[in-house]
Amino acid sequence: MYQKGEWCVLLPKSNRIGTTRKFMKKYYSDCEKVIIEVICNGCGKIIPVEKGIAAEDYISVQKIWGYFSNKDGEYHSWELCEQCYDRIVKQFSVPFEKKAEKELL
């Protein structure tokens, strides 16, 4: 499907053909999941990636909706840069849990 050295984008099966939308993450060839680009879904900012590692931190959310929702069986995935994350959490009615980690991996 892809030749070594080409770029590939991993998409959910339903979006692989006939789409022209922006993608949140692009991966390097052989689909080895080496990230080459991350795009914030909130503002469209391109988060720089160097040697497969994002040069800025971001939040990545994946959710498979289950029973008792209007989205049964849907998979949702999105990325937010730190600025969009800060903007969104300021709107929370109930604050999120926050604690300092002693070791960062």
Side-chain angles (χ1 to χ4, degrees):
M1 185 161 123
Y2 293 99
Q3 299 296 318
K4 191 161 185 71
E6 289 181 338
W7 304 107
C8 68
V9 178
L10 298 183
L11 300 172
K13 288 181 183 176
S14 62
N15 290 336
R16 287 197 176 162
I17 298 174
T19 180
T20 57
R21 63 176 211 168
K22 284 187 175 180
F23 306 110
M24 300 166 293
K25 291 182 182 176
K26 290 184 183 176
Y27 297 93
Y28 190 64
S29 188
D30 296 339
C31 295
E32 295 171 359
K33 289 213 167 201
V34 176
I35 297 173
I36 60 165
E37 185 174 83
V38 178
I39 299 175
C40 174
N41 286 88
C43 66
K45 172 184 175 181
I46 295 175
I47 297 167
V49 175
E50 297 173 10
K51 297 181 183 176
I53 300 171
E56 296 176 16
D57 208 357
Y58 64 95
I59 186 169
S60 181
V61 176
Q62 296 86 33
K63 170 67 176 164
I64 299 175
W65 291 92
Y67 297 119
F68 312 112
S69 77
N70 293 325
K71 299 168 192 65
D72 288 358
E74 289 183 15
Y75 172 81
H76 292 195
S77 173
W78 43 274
E79 328 295 328
L80 287 179
C81 67
E82 188 173 4
Q83 293 79 17
C84 287
Y85 171 82
D86 290 341
R87 179 177 43 83
I88 288 171
V89 298
K90 284 180 185 176
Q91 299 173 24
F92 288 178
S93 297
V94 177
F96 59 92
E97 182 179 352
K98 180 177 165 181
K99 64 180 182 177
E101 290 292 325
K102 295 181 182 181
E103 291 185 31
L104 301 177
L105 300 176

